[in-house]
Amino acid sequence: MTRAEVTELVLSAKRMKGLTWKQIHEKVSISTSQIVITAAMLGQMRLEPNEAAKAAELLDLPKEAEILLTEIPYRGSLPEVPPTDPVIYRFYELIQVYGTTWKELIHEEFGDGIMSAIDFDMTLERQPDQKGDRVKLGMSGKFLSYKRY
C-alpha cells in the first residue's frame, strides 16, 4: 500500500461516512490543530501513533494504512505547476504578485534568512462580512538566518 492509496481510502471513507474535516479532527486529536490533522490525512504531515489509531478506527482503515499515517511523508502534493484548481491557484497567484514584496519586507525586518515552514503555525477562520464572508489566514513561522561557512 502506498501513502497515496491511504489518502484515497481516507477521502473515500470521509465521503461515505458523511464526515467533515472538523468532525475527523475532533475524534482524532483536539490537542493538534485541525490544519495539521487534515494535512496528515491528506498525506502531507504525519500522525502520532495514538492519533493514527483513532483515525483508523473512525474511518475503518486497515492496519497498514494506520501505520502509514505515522510515517514521515514525501511532502509536496501539487500535481502540476501552475496548479489548475482555482483555490490552490489563488495561493500561487498570491506568491506571484506578493512573493517579492514579502521577501523584501522579511529581509528588511529580519535580515538574510527565511520563514520556516517546519517551525510554523497557521490558522484559518471565517470572517463574517456584509459583502460576503471572507477567508482569514494567519501564518507564523520561525525566522531562520542563513549561516556563513
Side-chain angles (χ1 to χ4, degrees):
M1 179 175 286
T2 67
R3 188 57 188 82
E5 290 169 333
V6 173
T7 299
E8 290 305 315
L9 286 175
V10 165
L11 292 171
S12 178
K14 177 185 176 288
R15 183 180 312 112
M16 296 304 292
K17 291 176 175 280
L19 295 170
T20 65
W21 290 116
K22 182 178 182 178
Q23 291 169 323
I24 293 169
H25 168 249
E26 289 169 350
K27 297 284 187 190
V28 171
S29 177
I30 57 171
S31 64
T32 304
S33 82
Q34 181 179 342
I35 290 169
V36 170
I37 295 298
T38 304
M41 301 303 285
L42 295 173
Q44 296 304 303
M45 300 295 277
R46 62 182 241 7
L47 294 178
E48 293 299 324
N50 65 320
E51 295 169 336
K54 291 176 187 175
E57 182 179 348
L58 176 65
L59 300 173
D60 299 320
L61 301 176
K63 185 66 177 176
E64 186 177 8
E66 178 183 333
I67 293 167
L68 279 165
L69 286 170
T70 68
E71 292 183 359
I72 298 168
Y74 185 88
R75 293 177 173 97
S77 64
L78 291 181
E80 56 193 335
V81 178
T84 57
D85 178 89
V87 173
I88 297 172
Y89 182 80
R90 292 302 168 259
F91 288 100
Y92 182 80
E93 186 176 51
L94 282 168
I95 298 299
Q96 286 183 1
V97 174
Y98 295 105
T100 54
T101 301
W102 294 335
K103 176 182 170 43
E104 286 294 319
L105 293 173
I106 287 169
H107 288 176
E108 185 173 276
E109 181 70 24
F110 295 93
D112 188 12
I114 61 170
M115 180 179 82
S116 175
I118 295 170
D119 190 344
F120 182 80
D121 295 313
M122 183 171 28
T123 59
L124 181 146
E125 56 187 277
R126 179 185 292 253
Q127 191 174 21
D129 187 292
Q130 63 185 3
K131 295 182 271 180
D133 289 356
R134 301 177 68 82
V135 176
K136 183 176 180 181
L137 289 175
M139 296 184 285
S140 171
K142 179 179 180 181
F143 181 76
L144 303 171
S145 294
Y146 280 103
K147 290 195 238 179
R148 291 183 54 117
Y149 53 94

